[in-house]
Amino acid sequence: MRRGVFAGSAVAVLMLTAACGSGDNSAGKGDSVQPVGDSKQAGSGYDGYGGGSGAVPAADAVKNGPAGELKVNATTELGSTVTDSAGFTLYRFDKDTPKPPKSNCEGDCATVWPAVSADDASAGEGIDKSLLGSVARADGTKQLTLAGWPVYRYAKDTKAGDTLGEGVGGTWHVLAPDGKPAKAGAGAGSGADPSAGGGAGEAAGAGEAGGGQEKAQADPVGVNRNTKLGAILTDAEGRTLYRFDKDSAWPMKTNCLGACLDTWKPAKAVDKELVKGIPAELVGTFKRPDGTEQLTIDCWPMYTFAGDKEAGDINGQGKQGTWFAVSDKGKKVTTTG
């Protein structure tokens, strides 16, 4: 009888241990993402544009051809989204501008995010045809615009309905029928997006609604396919998330206190039900000594780096040999080159 109780207790302890850290609980230890290498894949040099390892150009005629009649696709995650006639999701880029329309995605970026031709494009049911337009690209071709925003497909969307480009780099978003970023709960609007900005500092989804400002809800934890580090996790603003080898995952404990917090900011806790792209069971929270809740991934406390100035920056990677980005599998990434 005692032997049975002991065995049951041992199993319970093992299960609890497996739930946190997945065997990656000792400081400075754990699985790593292998380097992408020096291969010149689509998107090379465009950190945050969604190129990186495994990016493939949109080579088939369907994804490089005219959009045809645009359609509205109702989704549970993003509300009403816009697709081309073949059902492929259409996107906008926050660093473009709608007034005047201008694309800031050229070169390698345009390989990962093919511009949608304005030829033969038309508005289907639920889309105001007055919102459709075109803009001349640097190569002289005409790119489709929606409410002034240049329209793109994403090379890694391999089938109709895929939305793998949503939130990449914190700057790429699925289009809603009104030209704004699609978001859950939003209907198919028909008014043009009046924002005249769209540069690097523009808030994603800024627009007018009853005279006020609204902001699209970004994924609380996203995945940036970085050309050097592979698929790494980011916060809602597209900032790289890091873990600290001097912390502990089991038991959960932080060793970033005092002056450390001037450089490394604890990531805010999120609702795991809203997280996409990574297993929900990896997402958790940790109560810091000051009582605030901090995001954890695979039970490791997460941080952002003050030295990362733009979405997709990885300036904190390998700092002091103890700070590392985290893969979409919850493991630390030891690649630094």
Side-chain angles (χ1 to χ4, degrees):
M1 180 65 178
R2 289 182 180 176
R3 183 176 299 174
V5 171
F6 177 78
S9 299
V11 170
V13 170
L14 284 172
M15 290 178 67
L16 281 171
T17 303
C20 273
S22 300
D24 184 20
N25 298 321
S26 57
K29 211 174 156 183
D31 296 338
S32 64
V33 171
Q34 296 301 312
V36 175
D38 295 326
S39 59
K40 301 298 182 182
Q41 297 187 15
S44 176
Y46 279 82
D47 294 356
Y49 282 4
S53 177
V56 290
D60 58 272
V62 172
K63 287 202 290 183
N64 274 332
E69 185 180 73
L70 304 189
K71 300 178 180 179
V72 176
N73 181 34
T75 71
T76 55
E77 293 183 340
L78 294 171
S80 295
T81 67
V82 179
T83 73
D84 64 14
S85 59
F88 281 93
T89 302
L90 302 181
Y91 298 86
R92 52 172 267 178
F93 183 33
D94 283 348
K95 293 185 179 182
D96 288 348
T97 59
K99 293 183 179 180
K102 184 178 186 301
S103 171
N104 285 303
C105 180
E106 301 286 351
D108 287 345
C109 173
T111 303
V112 181
W113 300 92
V116 175
S117 171
D119 295 341
D120 299 327
S122 61
E125 185 178 354
I127 300 173
D128 186 344
K129 65 180 181 180
S130 69
L131 297 184
L132 299 188
S134 66
V135 61
R137 294 183 58 80
D139 61 4
T141 59
K142 294 288 187 181
Q143 181 175 2
L144 176 68
T145 61
L146 180 61
W149 289 95
V151 178
Y152 306 84
R153 298 183 182 95
Y154 184 41
K156 295 186 77 172
D157 284 348
T158 59
K159 63 182 184 297
D162 278 354
T163 57
L164 301 178
E166 171 60 28
V168 168
T171 55
W172 290 92
H173 301 284
V174 174
L175 272 165
D178 58 2
K180 297 178 183 178
K183 59 180 180 178
S190 59
D193 186 341
S195 57
E202 181 194 13
E208 290 185 3
Q213 292 287 330
E214 65 179 12
K215 186 175 181 179
Q217 182 179 7
D219 292 342
V221 178
V223 179
N224 173 26
R225 287 166 175 81
N226 185 274
T227 56
K228 294 181 179 179
L229 305 184
I232 58 175
L233 301 186
T234 62
D235 68 3
E237 304 299 324
R239 296 171 298 193
T240 302
L241 293 172
Y242 300 89
R243 54 177 264 188
F244 185 30
D245 275 353
K246 293 184 179 180
D247 285 351
S248 170
W250 185 255
M252 281 190 279
K253 181 181 178 183
T254 177
N255 279 302
C256 183
L257 304 165
C260 174
L261 297 175
D262 294 336
T263 305
W264 302 93
K265 307 298 184 182
K268 295 180 180 179
V270 304
D271 181 353
K272 68 168 59 182
E273 300 301 321
L274 299 179
V275 174
K276 297 181 294 182
I278 64 171
E281 59 267 23
L282 292 179
V283 181
T285 60
F286 163 70
K287 182 169 286 189
R288 294 186 57 80
D290 62 3
T292 59
E293 296 287 337
Q294 183 173 0
L295 169 68
T296 62
I297 298 294
D298 204 19
C299 297
W300 284 90
M302 292 289 104
Y303 306 82
T304 57
F305 179 49
D308 286 345
K309 302 303 182 184
E310 296 184 1
D313 281 353
I314 53 170
N315 299 320
Q317 177 65 5
K319 282 287 184 184
Q320 300 167 328
T322 55
W323 292 91
F324 297 95
V326 179
S327 77
D328 58 348
K329 300 295 187 290
K331 305 304 179 183
K332 77 174 181 179
V333 180
T334 59
T335 304
T336 55

